[in-house]
Amino acid sequence: MTGLLYIVATPIGNLSDISQRAIDTLKSADIIACEDTRTSAVLLKFFNINTPTLAYHEHNADSQTPKLIDKLQSGQSIALISDAGTPLISDPGFRLVRAAHEQGIGVVPIVGACAMIAALSVAGLASDKFSFLGFLPAKSHGRITALNSWQKRSETLIFYEAPHRIIDCLTDMISVFGGEREATLCRELTKTFETIKKLPLAQLLEFVKQDSNQQKGEIVLVVAGNTKTHSTTEYDEWLLRIAQELPPKKAAAIVADVLQLKKSTVYDRLLTLQNNEQTITTQEPS
């Protein structure tokens, strides 16, 4: 009988945020695979967890994954944890989980803290639709390119950012999104010096610049989506041109996807435009 692979969420700061189920799982597992065994040792010691540990991170995943799969197939259970929060959310583990599924090994989530979700819950921004984008490129050119690809998206955007890049990141966001775009800085969540600050990007940049403490620790940036509406005249012409080559519903779907509009709205607009064209043609003297 094969063992089970447990994906165990650990606290992102406050140790009281761990669940009893997570503690029980870590104690009962045969092995705990840690992103960094030294970091995890603090947590394990605090809760008197004596389960053997081994390192599993992005640099050794290729070599360690088959070894862990062998252990699971031999009947051992493995608990995977990251340095903090839920594994696989900008942390290692994907390759191991994928391999477990491929081998028919059971994968069990032990839920708990996640910085991304915690930040979204307190950001004061729309939470019905959101995209998690993890860490942006370290250099400005790559960062701006990435931000440009998301500039017109209407959903809330969630980013992780390193403290030494936070000023440059906010500066680039202003250049792409504009200084008035609402955003919430969530820093050191659940820890002693937690900061949650919601401001337009331009004001948020000044807030961070004026307080060096805001340039330290773990940072999550939650940025409002682009909520500007598009007037019909902005896309009428090329909506009609696309519709000359494609069926109406397909043409409307493409335009709606690009402009982040409702497909039904664009489709109705296309029908109106086409009806107007037919009316004009009919009324023209022969």
Side-chain angles (χ1 to χ4, degrees):
M1 182 176 179
T2 60
L4 293 173
L5 173 61
Y6 296 96
I7 310 302
V8 183
T10 56
I12 57 176
N14 192 317
L15 293 181
S16 298
D17 289 338
I18 196 169
S19 70
Q20 186 60 52
R21 186 184 180 203
I23 295 172
D24 293 343
T25 300
L26 293 174
K27 285 184 175 181
S28 63
D30 294 298
I31 301 168
I32 300 175
C34 311
E35 182 178 0
D36 187 322
T37 55
R38 295 165 299 180
T39 300
S40 296
V42 177
L43 173 74
L44 301 179
K45 182 178 180 180
F46 185 85
F47 289 104
N48 296 313
I49 298 169
N50 301 310
T51 305
T53 62
L54 58 80
Y56 184 85
H57 46 73
E58 60 180 336
H59 301 297
N60 72 356
D62 286 341
S63 61
Q64 285 285 59
T65 295
K67 295 177 183 177
L68 292 176
I69 292 298
D70 286 344
K71 293 180 183 296
L72 288 162
Q73 289 177 324
S74 71
Q76 296 185 62
S77 63
I78 296 175
L80 175 70
I81 62 175
S82 62
D83 287 347
T86 301
L88 280 75
I89 309 300
S90 277
D91 284 326
F94 164 69
R95 280 177 257 187
L96 179 58
V97 172
R98 179 178 60 184
H101 282 298
E102 290 173 349
Q103 297 300 319
I105 296 167
V107 182
V108 182
I110 308 298
V111 300
C114 176
M116 169 188 71
I117 297 301
L120 179 65
S121 72
V122 298
L125 298 170
S127 58
D128 56 331
K129 291 192 304 179
F130 62 90
S131 290
F132 173 62
L133 304 177
F135 287 94
L136 286 163
K139 294 186 178 180
S140 182
H141 177 73
R143 190 161 51 237
I144 288 176
T145 298
L147 291 171
N148 272 323
S149 68
W150 290 92
Q151 196 275 335
K152 293 182 179 180
R153 303 293 296 214
S154 61
E155 73 268 33
T156 297
L157 308 176
I158 306 173
F159 304 88
Y160 286 168
E161 190 51 275
H164 64 279
R165 291 198 298 263
I166 185 61
I167 288 179
D168 290 340
C169 177
L170 287 169
T171 299
D172 288 341
M173 284 184 172
I174 291 168
S175 71
V176 175
F177 297 150
E180 296 305 310
R181 183 81 70 95
E182 291 286 330
T184 303
L185 172 77
C186 299
R187 188 186 68 87
E188 293 290 86
L189 286 172
T190 79
K191 300 176 185 176
T192 303
F193 299 105
E194 176 182 85
T195 299
I196 299 169
K197 194 71 171 180
K198 180 178 181 292
L199 290 168
L201 280 169
Q203 294 180 37
L204 193 60
L205 174 60
E206 291 306 310
F207 169 73
V208 172
K209 281 183 175 179
Q210 292 171 14
D211 184 354
S212 60
N213 288 322
Q214 305 307 321
Q215 302 165 39
K216 302 173 183 177
E218 303 291 331
I219 295 172
V220 185
L221 277 173
V222 187
V223 182
N226 188 342
T227 57
K228 293 181 180 179
T229 57
H230 296 267
S231 67
T232 55
T233 55
E234 286 185 74
Y235 62 84
D236 280 359
E237 183 177 354
W238 51 285
L239 176 58
L240 283 169
R241 289 186 179 182
I242 294 174
Q244 290 175 358
E245 306 296 331
L246 297 171
K249 287 188 177 181
K250 183 65 174 178
I254 291 172
V255 173
D257 183 60
V258 171
L259 298 180
Q260 289 299 288
L261 299 172
K262 288 185 177 179
K263 291 181 182 179
S264 59
T265 300
V266 179
Y267 180 65
D268 289 344
R269 178 61 184 169
L270 176 56
L271 294 182
T272 299
L273 291 171
Q274 290 177 331
N275 287 335
N276 288 343
E277 280 191 334
Q278 291 174 359
T279 301
I280 293 172
T281 303
T282 303
Q283 291 176 349
E284 286 179 352
S286 56

